[in-house]
Amino acid sequence: MRIVIQRVSEASVAIDDSEVATIQKGLLILLGIENEDTQEDIDWLCNKIANLRIFPDEDGVMNISLKASEGNVILVSQFTLHASTKKGNRPSYIKAAKPDIAIPLYEAFIKTLQTTLGKSIQTGDFGADMKVHLVNDGPVTIIIDSKNKE
């Protein structure tokens, strides 16, 4: 499981010109799911997201976690995070989980992250053609792969 975390001052997601999610200060998280991902990957990533100290303290030092901040979250599924570009010029998505595997894991990720944070999160719509708007704050962008824990 792979995520791209972007600290934002604002973000939104629209589907068919209709806004389905919007936040001010917080995180926009893109989530890519592989076939072999499990609840263990979800638990590890959700704990990491909640406790990653990437919000500024009173001295401007990144020392505050999402859990300790007033920040909100938009979570967007994005299978292209598992693109392989090693061969040729057309990306291969063979490692990305198909919907029958990915959707239950995506839904479990949402529930686990909400429980870990103690607040609801907003989402895009799995598999939809979404327009994502964000103002990256910092900029702060972090990529985490649950297969690279050690």
Side-chain angles (χ1 to χ4, degrees):
M1 200 166 276
R2 187 172 295 154
I3 59 173
V4 174
I5 298 172
Q6 295 182 319
R7 188 179 76 188
V8 299
S9 56
E10 64 182 65
S12 63
V13 176
I15 300 171
D16 296 328
D17 295 323
S18 178
E19 193 169 82
V20 296
T22 185
I23 63 170
Q24 294 301 309
K25 174 185 162 190
L27 300 178
L28 173 70
I29 302 171
L30 306 175
L31 171 67
I33 300 170
E34 289 183 297
N35 289 318
E36 55 276 348
D37 288 332
T38 66
Q39 185 66 43
E40 182 180 327
D41 296 288
I42 293 169
D43 293 340
W44 185 81
L45 281 171
C46 288
N47 187 56
K48 186 64 80 172
I49 290 165
N51 295 297
L52 198 62
R53 297 182 339 192
I54 59 174
F55 290 93
D57 63 16
E58 62 278 351
D59 296 321
V61 177
M62 287 196 293
N63 204 25
I64 307 289
S65 69
L66 177 64
K67 197 169 189 175
S69 79
E70 298 289 319
N72 293 299
V73 174
I74 295 179
L75 178 71
V76 176
S77 63
Q78 189 166 359
F79 75 94
T80 61
L81 291 180
H82 290 291
S84 174
T85 58
K86 290 181 181 182
K87 190 175 174 185
N89 292 317
R90 182 172 186 210
S92 168
Y93 303 106
I94 198 156
K95 287 184 121 183
K98 302 286 185 259
D100 61 318
I101 293 172
I103 291 172
L105 289 170
Y106 174 69
E107 291 170 351
F109 195 99
I110 294 166
K111 288 178 186 170
T112 303
L113 186 56
Q114 289 180 147
T115 299
T116 304
L117 291 173
K119 59 181 154 186
S120 64
I121 64 170
Q122 297 185 51
T123 66
D125 188 7
F126 188 94
D129 181 17
M130 295 174 269
K131 305 301 181 216
V132 179
H133 166 80
L134 70 126
V135 177
N136 193 316
D137 181 23
V140 175
T141 302
I142 298 172
I143 301 168
I144 305 173
D145 194 316
S146 64
K147 303 302 187 245
N148 296 328
K149 290 182 231 179
E150 300 173 17

